[in-house]
Amino acid sequence: MARVISVEAERFPIAGTFTISRGSKTEAEVITCTIRENGHVGRGECVPYKRYGETMDGVRDAIEAMRERIAGGMDRTALLSAMAGGAARNAVDCALWDLEAKISGIPVADAMHSAPLSSLETAYTLSLAEPEAMAAQARANAMRPLLKVKIGGDNDMARIRAVTEAAPQGRIILDANEGWTDENIEANLAFAAQHGIALVEQPLPAGHDEILRRIAHPVPICADESVHETKDLGSLVGLYDAVNIKLDKTGGLTEALVLRDRARDLGFGIMVGCMVGTSLAMAPAVLLAQGADFVDLDGPLLLARDRQPGLVYKGSLVSPPDRVLWG
């Protein structure tokens, strides 16, 4: 029996507003790919990202263009060469992983040959705002062990001071989303180090970060927008100390596993992150993130409504996915 593929655009409201240096949004817009075969169903979710030239319609069309090949039995290996990396391939790849697990009865976790799964401590993201408002966000979440703080404006030192004073016990990641410049990065890094920041994520625009090779790194620096697939890693050696792996950038779990292992071989620290999506998007990333140095899979915590059933979060601990959800 041939496979049947469906592609659906869905929207999930965000609890409040999610703001980074490039703008704000109030809902998560996702594309869900569902592949059915002989009574078995596999699903994958992706989040089209404007920064990478993606749109909801464009991602849907890219998946639709693969309809005949997917229906004809295309596997994940063939998918890597048939589709470019990015959100569209992620949805299809994760749906194929899920479908394979449902057909074989072998959980994805076992197919990956990973050690027994454990719950993970995820960062919780604070949106970019004025220092006083960010301090209030930090104070309200001061019990969480790891906070990810969106910065990238003209007043970042005040923001850093505000959140570290409001949440003095937690570890803090700063995410500038390419919002710093060659002129302020050294002072900002030094100030971050003085305030005990654990990691600084993508301080400079991708492709305009050569200064990172010449300046001190008093706080480890993590690539995000600068790294998508395994082929990107070579150029980042000497610039960054860690890489943020996101399935919507790698184009799925298949490539993400290769990227993770190669990054480790090259000496990079590993962060596994996400776009703002539902538990369906986070589920494969939880498997990828086992053993990572930093985990940022809080997408469902930022939503007013998640899928049901979803991942189980207890505070900042996220449990591995139930197979009813994915895998």
Side-chain angles (χ1 to χ4, degrees), residues 25 27 45 81 90 136 141 168 178 181 184 218 221 228 269 327:
K25 61 181 181 178
E27 62 181 6
E45 177 186 308
S81 57
N90 177 34
N141 291 281
E178 306 178 282
T181 67
N184 65 25
I221 301 175
H228 289 245

Side-chain angles (χ1 to χ4, degrees), residues 5-305:
I5 299 95
S6 60
V7 186
E8 182 181 4
E10 298 182 86
R11 288 171 168 78
F12 293 82
I14 291 172
T17 301
F18 183 75
T19 302
I20 66 173
S21 61
R22 285 189 289 270
S24 301
K25 61 181 181 178
T26 57
E27 62 181 6
E29 296 181 297
V30 310
I31 297 287
T32 305
C33 177
T34 302
I35 306 175
R36 295 176 170 85
E37 182 177 344
N38 296 329
H40 301 284
V41 180
R43 298 186 301 158
E45 177 186 308
C46 71
V47 183
Y49 200 47
K50 185 178 179 180
R51 167 65 178 82
Y52 305 136
E54 296 174 336
T55 65
M56 293 286 283
D57 288 343
V59 166
R60 182 206 291 270
D61 291 346
I63 298 173
E64 291 286 358
M66 291 290 109
R67 178 177 291 275
E68 289 188 9
R69 296 185 64 178
I70 297 168
M74 182 169 63
D75 63 14
R76 291 183 289 102
T77 301
L79 181 70
L80 286 176
S81 57
M83 296 185 76
R89 193 175 75 189
N90 177 34
V92 178
D93 181 75
C94 289
L96 288 173
W97 274 100
D98 192 28
L99 181 65
E100 292 168 18
K102 300 295 170 49
I103 292 173
S104 67
I106 300 172
V108 172
D110 292 351
M112 289 169 57
H113 305 291
S114 59
L117 299 180
S118 61
S119 296
L120 302 174
E121 178 186 284
T122 179
Y124 181 81
T125 304
L126 307 184
S127 284
L128 176 67
E130 291 304 312
E132 296 78 10
M134 296 195 75
Q137 292 182 64
R139 199 171 296 114
N141 291 281
M143 78 297 295
R144 297 184 183 274
L146 182 63
L147 295 176
K148 179 170 174 174
V149 178
K150 293 290 187 178
I151 53 171
D154 296 329
N155 202 17
D156 282 342
M157 289 185 183
R159 293 184 175 95
I160 294 167
R161 182 185 296 111
V163 297
T164 54
E165 290 178 354
Q169 303 304 316
R171 292 192 303 157
I172 292 176
I173 300 167
L174 299 180
D175 186 2
N177 285 115
E178 306 178 282
W180 289 357
T181 67
D182 286 3
E183 288 70 35
N184 65 25
I185 185 170
E186 290 182 273
N188 283 342
L189 285 173
F191 194 82
Q194 292 167 11
H195 287 77
I197 299 302
L199 190 73
V200 173
E201 193 177 343
Q202 196 68 45
L204 298 171
H208 299 277
D209 46 10
E210 186 60 29
I211 192 175
L212 297 180
R213 199 180 303 277
R214 305 191 301 272
I215 65 173
H217 293 200
V219 177
I221 301 175
C222 180
D224 181 4
E225 285 86 350
S226 290
V227 59
H228 289 245
E229 299 179 77
T230 307
K231 60 182 174 61
D232 300 326
L233 289 173
S235 65
L236 303 184
V237 174
L239 293 177
Y240 292 93
D241 308 293
V243 293
N244 187 351
I245 304 172
K246 296 177 180 176
L247 299 182
D248 280 315
K249 294 189 301 176
T250 64
L253 182 59
T254 303
E255 168 65 14
L257 290 166
V258 177
L259 171 59
R260 181 195 64 185
D261 294 345
R262 180 58 179 154
R264 283 176 172 160
D265 289 344
L266 290 172
F268 289 106
I270 302 296
M271 180 178 185
V272 175
C274 65
M275 307 303 184
V276 183
T278 78
S279 284
L280 180 57
M282 303 303 121
V286 170
L287 304 188
L288 175 69
Q290 299 289 315
D293 301 293
F294 293 91
V295 177
D296 178 28
L297 298 176
D298 64 341
L301 296 179
L302 305 176
L303 299 178
R305 173 177 58 85

